[in-house]
Amino acid sequence: MPDATYAVEMRDITKRFPGVLANDHVNFGAQAGEVHALLGENGAGKSTLMNVLCGLYRPEAGAILIDGQPVHFHSPRDAIQSGVGMVHQHFMLVQSQSVAENVFLGVRNASFSLRSQQMAAAVQKIGDQYGLPVDPNAKIWQLSVGEQQRVEIIKILYRGARILVLDEPTAVLTPQESEMLFQTLRAMKNDGKTIIFISHKLEEVISIADNVTVLRAGKVAATTPAKGMTKAQLASLMVGRQVFFQFDKAPAKLGEVRLALAGVEAQDDKFLPALRGVSLEVRSGEIVGIAGVAGNGQRELAETVTGLRKLTAGKITVAGRDVTGSPPLVMIDAGIAYVPEDRHHTGTAPNLSVAENLALKAYRKPPIGHGALIAPDAMQTSAVDLIRAFDISTPGPQTPARKLSGGNLQKVILAREISAEPQVLIAASPTRGLDIGATESVRKLLLAQRDEGAAILLISEDLDEIFAISDRIVVMYEGSIMGEFPTAEAEIGQVGLLMAGGEHGAHASAV
Amino acid sequence: MHRGGAPRIRFERRLEQPRWLSIASPFILVAAALAVGAALLALVGAAPLVVYGRMAEIAFGSAYGWSDTTIKATPLILAGLGVSIAFKMRLWNIGAEGQLFIGAWCATGVALFLMPKDTPQALMLLAMGLAGFIGGAFWGFIPGVLKAKLNINEIITTLMLTYVAFQWNNFFVYGPWSQRGFGLTEQFPKSAWMPRFTDFGKIFPAFQGMTAHFGILLAVILAVFLWFVWRRSKWGFGVKIIGDNPRAARYAGINLTRNIIVVMMLSGGLAGIAGMVEVSGVVHRLQERFSPGYGYTAIIIAWLAKLNPLAIILVSYLFGGLLVGGDAIQPAGIAGMLQGVILFVVVGGESMLQYRIRVER
């Protein structure tokens, strides 16, 4: 019997991948005029469920009902025809085309000759209606990440979506941009749209969602009104046990300066200035957190310090040694370890074994490297040791790295970088995409390193992370350092304002 | 979706290639290619099994057959190893044929014009081998440096340089080095001949009449050496990392620019040695089109052998046998046709093996 109160209902959805039951008889329903959050750890089956809803996957069993009517989606096009649209985490926009052109791209009923003024007007209208300010004639590459996201939302609204699925939409936004997005979501909600909001961030879920469905290991752990839930309650539903959000952090025991940047400048991939006179110091025994919205020079900062990117001016010193302009190998030898942002594409070689990935840098020196040769036994032994010491869960050292989960892959990288006993550890978004359990253990590892005297530069877009573990916070905006605070004195609003390029207020007394 | 009715057959992508399949796939593919070839043979009115049986007998049925097959397999192994080095790093050097010609040209220059005719054989061969390597390496260096410094597609440059190599070679064999205007040079002095097994027929009577030359020993030694390099050397490990993920390699401190150039040079160098071995061991002179496309066949071989140096020996013998057997039977184009079919099936089949058939009920 169709339940007409749900705008979208998924009944007993089962989706199996080889060896994994991604969705196990999942029931999900959301009404018109509702923001429904979908919570869960990585691998809990959130994305699978939403990909089923959007026609990307077909379930083995179960039914989808839109407004009470059963539907069968064979492609995303079918889904959008029924009013279901998704904004993916990675935007699908053509960089060199305008906003309006992107919105009209792939629209079937568009007339053969496109009139740019009409297109722009249509985009403008949707933007005005839901509070999505964006210039229809701007090229995508000129837009900030937040603006690009708006284009994606306009795109699916233009195609007539009544049910919008947003996959971790705030992951790339500043707190202020997130607030703007929430206003848009509220406007859409009041207009009778259904919004399904996938997120890791518990505060957000509590503040924006009407109802929450929590998935755990492919099953629904709970469906509940968001009102009255606490972070701790939601987190324990997600992981099935108690979670602690606070770390007991010993006061920093500061040592000598391990990493010093003086007036460092560098260019991005388009040869535009990405770092503008960055000067900072990291001492032994402290974690310095770089806060900033993605794309404000953080990646370039990490790459410059690790020798992967040429600097155009300034000076870099590691433990007193001038390493300005040195190639990556010299930086490694100088004692710089790097946990890159992109663990799949930079941090590991996916088809090589776990043991080989653990030896990715250490193979040059004894005990693994001797003269021109490698000792496979030593590689194996060292891998077994590291797998045990860092609690990496893998079938064995010879398993290809690509078979590991994100959290375990990150542990492989951390094990490799930390075991090199570096002078300086650069960690870029070390917990991005990890579930709560893995995030906890990665942060603990970083803190343990700090307590043992490592100098750690933490680059993260996750402000919670910066506040949770760093001793000092440095805010970057468009390649410049906007301010610097001891974490204890930092205020999240002030940091957020600086991240958005706001004025250096009176509160932000530089240290 | 539970739906009644007849079962449907569907192709589904395999998420993970099982280990047995990755080992078995070359055999499956060759068998499939032979089956397709058999169908084509039947179509032109031949009895496929008779033809195949005859080819196998000619190529592998006697000591002389083995000797002839070895002659063909030798340059295939060397060029196959060369191609495999570049492929290991995902550099698509498809110009082994040109590198082979330049290697042969350099070796010829050394044998005919640089070294005196009475140079001791060992020294002569060493100098020719070195020249062959350097020539091939230079022909690999050009696309290598273009790739490393300017990111110019090596597929295009290696292929185009092959045509340059042909013309270069033709210019010399018809021009300055020509023997009376024919497309060949004068014969090498005996000191520049690679020793053949038959040369030792007096000591080992079993070798009598076996014209296979010692190039096969060099090829096998190099294959084993390369196998060791991939398994045990730091450099080999670095190349393996670059091949799997160049960004991770750069991150790990491996110099991409230098390695691209070095790998292309080694790749070309081995193909160059293949050319030297062919002129010194078989043709004993440089001539127009002395290679029936060894450098191209090497691409198929490296691919079928999954870049494993020891497997390259095996696959090269298979293709050598195909050439020998194909030469001896009618219609004469069969070997070429089968090679084409094998390449076709290998390239197409490799991707088909990534799917499995599922019957939906």
Side-chain angles (χ1 to χ4, degrees):
Chain A
M1 204 173 41
D3 187 344
T5 63
Y6 284 124
V8 55
E9 191 183 359
M10 303 178 81
R11 285 189 191 160
D12 276 333
I13 298 288
T14 298
K15 177 70 194 171
R16 197 184 296 275
F17 293 112
V20 189
L21 192 54
N23 285 155
D24 183 2
H25 296 282
V26 172
N27 286 297
F28 176 87
Q31 293 167 332
E34 171 186 349
V35 176
H36 196 120
L38 194 55
L39 258 183
E41 296 199 283
N42 277 350
K46 303 177 304 249
S47 301
T48 305
L49 188 67
M50 287 304 113
N51 283 332
V52 166
L53 179 58
C54 297
L56 281 166
Y57 294 157
R58 279 197 255 168
E60 266 83 49
I64 302 173
L65 291 87
I66 304 288
D67 296 329
Q69 297 301 313
V71 287
H72 296 283
F73 295 152
H74 298 280
S75 70
R77 198 180 284 280
D78 291 352
I80 193 78
Q81 225 117 62
S82 294
V84 179
M86 183 156 174
V87 174
H88 293 269
Q89 240 175 321
H90 300 285
F91 303 146
M92 297 170 181
L93 298 169
V94 183
Q95 295 287 319
S96 57
Q97 293 196 336
S98 77
V99 170
E101 283 163 343
N102 269 280
V103 170
F104 278 79
L105 203 68
V107 173
R108 274 254 167 113
N109 56 12
S111 62
F112 181 73
S113 65
L114 298 170
R115 298 211 189 87
S116 59
Q117 280 179 346
Q118 281 177 6
M119 296 196 309
V123 170
Q124 191 75 50
K125 191 171 153 236
I126 296 171
D128 290 347
Q129 189 179 350
Y130 296 105
L132 294 160
V134 59
D135 174 5
N137 298 313
K139 304 279 188 233
I140 296 299
W141 61 266
Q142 296 169 318
L143 302 181
S144 72
V145 178
E147 287 170 317
Q148 293 188 23
Q149 189 178 56
R150 285 176 215 153
V151 178
E152 284 281 12
I153 295 174
I154 291 173
K155 222 166 91 178
I156 58 170
L157 286 173
Y158 181 78
R159 284 163 170 69
R162 291 171 295 124
I163 297 151
L164 290 92
V165 182
L166 304 172
D167 192 359
E168 301 204 21
T170 57
V172 291
L173 304 180
T174 61
Q176 285 81 359
E177 282 176 321
S178 296
E179 196 40 57
M180 272 190 76
L181 173 70
F182 292 160
Q183 280 169 18
T184 300
L185 296 187
R186 287 188 194 105
M188 294 197 290
K189 172 180 144 180
N190 292 336
D191 195 38
K193 307 233 182 255
T194 306
I195 292 138
I196 303 170
F197 184 91
I198 304 177
S199 182
H200 279 311
K201 297 186 185 169
L202 302 171
E203 285 108 343
E204 272 176 20
V205 168
I206 293 166
S207 80
I208 183 79
D210 300 306
N211 290 297
V212 186
T213 293
V214 183
L215 287 182
R216 184 167 75 229
K219 291 188 178 144
V220 176
T223 299
T224 159
K227 206 170 176 186
M229 293 298 280
T230 65
K231 269 174 74 177
Q233 279 170 322
L234 287 176
S236 63
L237 279 172
M238 274 165 77
V239 295
R241 62 174 172 83
Q242 287 292 110
V243 177
F244 302 99
F245 283 95
Q246 294 302 319
F247 290 95
D248 291 329
K249 216 169 67 171
K253 282 177 291 210
L254 287 186
E256 77 284 1
V257 174
R258 288 276 181 83
L259 174 69
L261 273 67
V264 169
E265 313 222 335
Q267 294 176 333
D268 66 12
D269 296 337
K270 292 175 186 144
F271 303 104
L272 300 171
L275 295 179
R276 304 167 201 254
V278 170
S279 300
L280 67 97
E281 282 185 353
V282 187
R283 290 169 176 273
S284 160
E286 72 168 342
I287 298 180
V288 174
I290 304 280
V293 182
N296 275 283
Q298 297 98 315
R299 188 163 68 89
E300 288 81 2
L301 175 67
E303 289 179 352
T304 307
V305 174
T306 50
L308 291 165
R309 187 175 290 273
K310 286 264 168 292
L311 43 64
T312 49
K315 191 176 164 191
I316 300 177
T317 324
V318 175
R321 177 177 160 199
D322 184 356
V323 291
T324 310
S326 302
L329 189 55
V330 175
M331 293 300 195
I332 293 168
D333 287 340
I336 294 217
Y338 178 30
V339 177
E341 176 176 33
D342 187 342
R343 65 185 77 98
H344 295 282
H345 297 115
T346 309
T348 51
N351 294 306
L352 301 194
S353 69
V354 169
E356 287 171 319
N357 272 287
L358 285 166
L360 209 62
K361 290 176 176 174
Y363 76 94
R364 298 188 183 88
K365 292 195 175 129
I368 296 174
H370 299 276
L373 296 185
I374 283 172
D377 294 347
M379 193 191 277
Q380 179 82 7
T381 317
S382 119
V384 170
D385 289 348
L386 289 173
I387 287 169
R388 193 180 310 120
F390 287 83
D391 193 23
I392 300 166
S393 119
T394 165
Q398 295 308 321
T399 306
R402 75 188 129 85
K403 292 198 179 170
L404 266 52
S405 70
N408 280 299
L409 206 57
Q410 193 69 324
K411 280 186 191 168
V412 168
I413 295 172
L414 280 163
R416 177 180 70 217
E417 299 305 312
I418 290 172
S419 63
E421 296 174 0
Q423 300 277 347
V424 181
L425 179 65
I426 319 273
S429 299
T431 62
R432 174 148 83 187
L434 299 189
D435 60 40
I436 291 185
T439 299
E440 227 182 344
S441 70
V442 166
R443 289 182 186 167
K444 275 184 184 154
L445 265 174
L446 291 176
L447 280 174
Q449 282 302 301
R450 154 196 184 260
D451 293 341
E452 283 173 29
I456 299 176
L457 185 65
L458 171 70
I459 300 173
S460 179
E461 287 136 34
D462 182 349
L463 271 184
D464 291 344
E465 173 159 278
I466 300 257
F467 273 85
I469 62 172
S470 50
D471 300 297
R472 266 192 302 143
I473 297 176
V474 173
V475 185
M476 264 182 87
Y477 173 73
E478 290 194 345
S480 302
I481 290 183
M482 303 297 286
E484 194 175 323
F485 319 84
T487 305
E489 295 167 23
E491 199 190 302
I492 201 150
Q494 179 70 18
V495 170
L497 211 59
L498 290 178
M499 278 165 65
E503 279 305 301
H504 194 116
H507 185 87
S509 51
V511 178
Chain B
M1 270 171 268
H2 289 292
R3 252 187 273 145
R8 290 194 312 147
I9 293 171
R10 263 198 342 161
F11 288 100
E12 193 172 81
R13 201 179 169 81
R14 290 174 196 273
L15 293 178
E16 211 43 70
Q17 204 179 33
R19 194 171 158 70
W20 67 265
L21 186 63
S22 75
I23 294 168
S25 70
F27 297 97
I28 297 173
L29 293 172
V30 168
L34 289 178
V36 174
L40 291 173
L41 285 171
L43 211 66
V44 297
L49 288 181
V50 176
V51 173
Y52 284 162
R54 184 85 189 106
M55 284 173 68
E57 194 190 322
I58 292 168
F60 302 111
S62 67
Y64 298 111
W66 276 98
S67 167
D68 286 351
T69 300
T70 301
I71 291 177
K72 304 285 186 195
T74 304
L76 290 176
I77 296 172
L78 287 163
L81 292 174
V83 168
S84 77
I85 294 179
F87 282 13
K88 196 94 177 173
M89 218 166 95
R90 299 203 194 169
L91 287 171
W92 308 116
N93 172 18
I94 59 168
E97 185 76 355
Q99 292 143 13
L100 184 145
F101 268 90
I102 294 298
W105 180 85
C106 287
T108 302
V110 167
L112 291 180
F113 305 107
L114 205 65
M115 309 284 275
K117 284 194 183 338
D118 53 359
T119 311
Q121 191 181 24
L123 188 64
M124 180 67 118
L125 289 175
L126 191 69
M128 287 170 70
L130 214 60
F133 179 82
I134 291 170
F138 176 67
W139 227 237
F141 170 81
I142 301 170
V145 103
L146 290 173
K147 172 79 180 179
K149 300 279 185 198
L150 301 169
N151 198 23
I152 292 174
N153 188 325
E154 76 282 5
I155 301 178
I156 312 266
T157 49
T158 51
L159 183 64
M160 290 302 137
L161 276 173
T162 300
Y163 295 106
V164 177
F166 288 159
Q167 299 312 323
W168 179 265
N169 188 60
N170 283 350
F171 171 73
F172 278 87
V173 297
Y174 280 106
W177 293 1
S178 173
Q179 198 179 30
R180 277 166 296 178
F182 293 111
L184 36 79
T185 64
E186 63 175 293
Q187 203 171 48
F188 292 170
K190 285 277 187 215
S191 59
W193 289 30
M194 186 72 77
R196 296 175 303 183
F197 287 95
T198 186
D199 299 342
F200 298 86
K202 287 202 182 98
I203 314 166
F204 304 102
F207 285 175
Q208 273 173 17
M210 296 177 73
T211 50
H213 53 85
F214 280 16
I216 186 64
L217 303 180
L218 179 66
V220 170
I221 290 169
L222 285 173
V224 172
F225 179 70
L226 190 62
W227 177 79
F228 181 80
V229 164
W230 292 144
R231 277 182 72 90
R232 287 290 309 276
S233 78
K234 283 183 187 173
W235 181 79
F237 186 56
V239 170
K240 202 167 149 187
I241 299 172
I242 301 175
D244 193 44
N245 185 353
R247 282 173 65 181
R250 208 166 98 76
Y251 155 80
I254 297 166
N255 187 330
L256 290 188
T257 311
R258 191 172 62 209
N259 272 299
I260 288 173
I261 297 172
V262 166
V263 158
M264 283 301 287
M265 287 177 73
L266 288 176
S267 178
L270 277 178
I273 291 182
M276 171 270 170
V277 160
E278 191 63 10
V279 289
S280 159
V282 181
V283 198
H284 301 144
R285 53 160 47 104
L286 188 65
Q287 61 184 40
E288 190 192 8
R289 302 298 322 233
F290 67 88
S291 154
Y294 289 133
Y296 296 127
T297 308
I299 299 168
I300 317 177
I301 290 172
W303 201 247
L304 257 186
K306 307 218 150 169
L307 314 185
N308 178 327
L310 302 183
I312 284 174
I313 301 178
L314 207 74
V315 180
S316 297
Y317 262 90
L318 178 76
F319 275 80
L322 199 61
L323 287 172
V324 170
D327 278 351
I329 55 166
Q330 293 297 328
I334 283 182
M337 177 203 79
L338 273 180
Q339 260 195 41
V341 169
I342 290 180
L343 177 63
F344 198 77
V345 172
V346 167
V347 172
E350 188 73 29
S351 57
M352 267 168 53
L353 284 174
Q354 290 180 357
Y355 289 81
R356 64 175 163 198
I357 300 167
R358 236 178 59 147
V359 181
E360 266 188 0
R361 281 173 208 284

